[in-house]
């Protein structure tokens, strides 16, 4: 256990507590939110350190009293037995955590192989994440969406946010960061007249939503084009050029939005996605500089890149990264994802405690 790191983090906790007690900080809601999130991250550490310190003090007192009264020996023994668990808990909290854990996210879902069936499956994933968010009291917002002819989605961007400061600094990213990758479905498509099982795929990209202070964008680096929105089958749904496409020239990242009625609104939504993608790109570059173990979540929407399979005939969901399998696909699609997500989080926790790199989010 690093006593120096512990002292540094406890000092930071005390400083953040002072800042939050100052009414002036709430004049800037962005700053107040960032400080509040970091404070929430450190609350469990402060509590665990206090409990361990108190237990050690109680043990010293019990041993001192036991020297005069043997009746206190059993109490000292009980306190001593509790110390390893308290020390392990504090050691776990001292492991550097994902800096984005408290953040909200933008989930992008793209239909891949399988045509209309893939688009229908992408729509199923959209509903699954929306229902999961509802179960946890989070808010959702469709930033941009392109529907398919049969009611699925070809491409959708969904913002998911916590209400207020997440407890313990565990925001949406801490739960959904494992979802990035290719999701494969095996079922009989509605377009299949022979009853044969088909396999198709949809890609999911999860991005921590960036705030203005996280990413600096030079307006001169942007190329902004406007065009006319269109609906399924190319049908015009807007008679003005309100859709916006933004290209970040230095990186080549392209974002487009057409859901909103005004060009200004679509531009603002596109900038939200662009900031998130630039933040993710910067994080990937930083990770690559330290290790090549962490790969891009979605390189191509190809079945060979799959992280999870949804098998409808067997009502089975399988996560291939950790060998997790459960026969409750119907419940998972209804938003009950805590089983698989908890298993992924536990695998990451075990790896971090063992001093390994975090679970690869492909």
């Amino acid at each position: 256990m690093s006593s120096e790191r512990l002292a540094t983090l406890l000092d930071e906790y005390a400083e953040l507590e002072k800042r939050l007690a100052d009414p002036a900080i709430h004049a800037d809601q962005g700053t107040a939110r960032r400080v509040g999130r970091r404070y929430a991250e450190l609350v469990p550490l402060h509590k665990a350190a206090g409990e361990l310190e108190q237990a050690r003090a109680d043990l010293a007192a019990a041993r001192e009293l036991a020297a005069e009264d043997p009746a206190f020996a059993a109490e000292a023994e009980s306190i001593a037995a509790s110390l390893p668990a308290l020390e392990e808990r504090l050691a776990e909290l001292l492991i550097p955590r994902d800096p984005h854990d408290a953040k909200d996210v933008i989930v992008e879902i793209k239909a891949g192989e399988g045509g209309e069936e893939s688009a229908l499956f992408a729509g199923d994933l959209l509903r699954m994440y929306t229902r999961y968010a509802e179960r946890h009291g989070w808010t959702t917002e469709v930033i941009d969406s392109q529907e398919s002819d049969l009611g699925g989605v070809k491409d959708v961007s969904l913002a998911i946010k916590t209400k207020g400061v997440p407890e313990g600094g565990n925001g949406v990213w801490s739960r959904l960061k494992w979802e990035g990758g290719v999701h494969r479905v095996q079922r009989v498509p509605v377009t299949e007249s022979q009853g044969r099982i088909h396999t198709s795929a949809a890609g999911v990209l999860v991005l921590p939503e960036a705030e203005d202070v996280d990413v600096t964008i030079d307006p001169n680096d942007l190329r902004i084009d406007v065009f006319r929105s269109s609906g399924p089958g190319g049908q015009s749904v807007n008679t003005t050029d309100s859709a916006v496409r933004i290209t970040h020239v230095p990186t080549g990242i392209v974002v487009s939005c057409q859901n909103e009625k005004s060009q200004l609104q679509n531009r603002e939504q596109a900038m939200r996605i662009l900031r998130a993608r630039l933040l993710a790109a910067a994080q990937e570059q930083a990770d690559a500089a330290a290790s090549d173990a962490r790969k891009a979540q979605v390189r191509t929407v190809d079945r060979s890149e799959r992280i999870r399979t949804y098998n409808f005939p067997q009502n089975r969901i399988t996560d291939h990264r950790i060998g997790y399998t459960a026969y409750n696909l119907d419940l998972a699609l209804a938003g009950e994802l805590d089983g698989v997500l908890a298993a992924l989080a536990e695998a990451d926790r075990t790896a971090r405690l063992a001093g390994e790199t975090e679970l690869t989010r492909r």
Side-chain angles (χ1 to χ4, degrees):
M1 184 185 304
S2 172
S3 57
E4 183 177 341
R5 175 170 168 75
L6 176 59
T8 299
L9 292 175
L10 291 179
D11 286 345
E12 182 183 1
Y13 173 89
E15 178 60 30
L16 293 172
E17 192 170 43
K18 288 181 182 178
R19 292 185 66 185
L20 288 172
D22 183 357
I25 194 175
H26 299 287
D28 183 343
Q29 288 301 310
T31 298
R33 185 167 57 252
R34 287 191 298 275
V35 172
R37 284 178 176 175
R38 179 56 178 162
Y39 177 79
E41 288 178 5
L42 294 176
V43 165
L45 176 73
H46 178 265
K47 180 180 179 181
E51 290 176 349
L52 179 58
E53 182 180 5
Q54 184 62 54
R56 286 172 172 168
D58 290 344
L59 176 60
R63 283 176 172 170
E64 184 177 342
L65 291 169
E68 300 177 1
D69 184 350
F72 285 97
E75 182 178 349
E77 186 176 326
S78 175
I79 296 172
S82 71
L83 289 182
L86 293 173
E87 291 170 347
E88 182 180 351
R89 171 62 176 158
L90 184 57
E92 179 182 340
L93 290 170
L94 282 171
I95 298 173
R97 64 184 294 169
D98 188 325
H100 299 315
D101 271 352
K103 288 186 177 293
D104 299 321
V105 305
I106 293 176
V107 178
E108 297 184 2
I109 306 171
K110 299 178 185 295
E113 295 182 6
E116 280 292 344
E117 164 61 8
S118 178
L120 289 170
F121 177 52
D124 291 338
L125 294 177
L126 172 62
R127 284 185 290 276
M128 180 180 76
Y129 293 128
T130 299
R131 290 167 180 168
Y132 179 74
E134 290 171 352
R135 288 176 179 273
H136 286 272
W138 300 336
T139 61
T140 60
E141 172 193 3
V142 174
I143 299 176
D144 193 53
S145 177
Q146 296 181 38
E147 297 183 357
S148 68
D149 292 330
L150 295 182
V153 291
K154 298 177 181 178
D155 192 344
V156 61
S157 296
L158 176 73
I160 305 179
K161 296 177 173 291
T162 56
K163 296 178 180 178
V165 176
E167 183 178 352
N170 295 314
V172 184
W173 173 258
S174 72
R175 305 273 188 90
L176 292 184
K177 58 185 173 183
W178 320 112
E179 293 303 284
V182 172
H183 297 238
R184 183 178 70 166
V185 62
Q186 296 172 325
R187 65 182 175 188
V188 178
V190 294
T191 55
E192 170 59 55
S193 59
Q194 302 298 319
R196 293 173 298 187
I197 297 173
H198 286 227
T199 298
S200 60
V204 175
L205 183 66
V206 183
L207 305 168
E209 181 151 15
E211 300 180 45
D212 291 339
V213 296
D214 295 325
V215 177
T216 301
I217 300 177
D218 186 343
N220 295 322
D221 289 339
L222 303 179
R223 184 172 70 244
I224 301 176
D225 303 304
V226 296
F227 57 97
R228 188 158 298 177
S229 302
S230 61
Q235 176 184 349
S236 176
V237 295
N238 197 325
T239 57
T240 62
D241 292 338
S242 62
V244 174
R245 181 185 300 109
I246 299 178
T247 303
H248 185 250
V249 178
T251 61
I253 294 175
V254 180
V255 178
S256 62
C257 279
Q258 62 176 9
N259 268 32
E260 303 298 335
K261 295 181 179 179
S262 77
Q263 189 180 119
L264 178 60
Q265 289 174 316
N266 281 321
R267 175 171 175 162
E268 290 175 349
Q269 298 288 51
M271 286 298 292
R272 285 177 64 185
I273 298 174
L274 178 60
R275 280 193 295 270
R277 289 190 184 178
L278 288 173
L279 178 62
Q283 186 65 54
E284 286 181 9
Q285 289 177 357
D287 291 339
S291 168
D292 62 356
R294 192 170 170 186
K295 302 174 182 177
Q297 295 181 76
V298 180
R299 292 197 293 272
T300 58
V301 182
D302 184 289
R303 287 195 295 268
S304 65
E305 297 286 332
R306 69 184 185 277
I307 63 165
R308 189 177 297 154
T309 294
Y310 303 74
N311 185 294
F312 276 68
Q314 299 177 14
N315 196 36
R316 170 174 58 85
I317 178 171
T318 298
D319 194 287
H320 304 288
R321 293 165 294 184
I322 57 173
Y324 173 93
T325 294
Y327 294 88
N328 61 350
L329 176 57
D330 53 339
L331 297 178
L333 291 174
E336 294 187 19
L337 288 172
D338 285 326
V340 62
L341 295 182
L344 287 161
E346 180 59 26
D348 177 64
R349 172 184 173 275
T350 301
R352 288 188 294 113
L353 284 174
E356 301 172 4
T357 56
E358 67 178 24
L359 180 69
T360 300
R361 297 192 298 275
R362 290 185 56 196

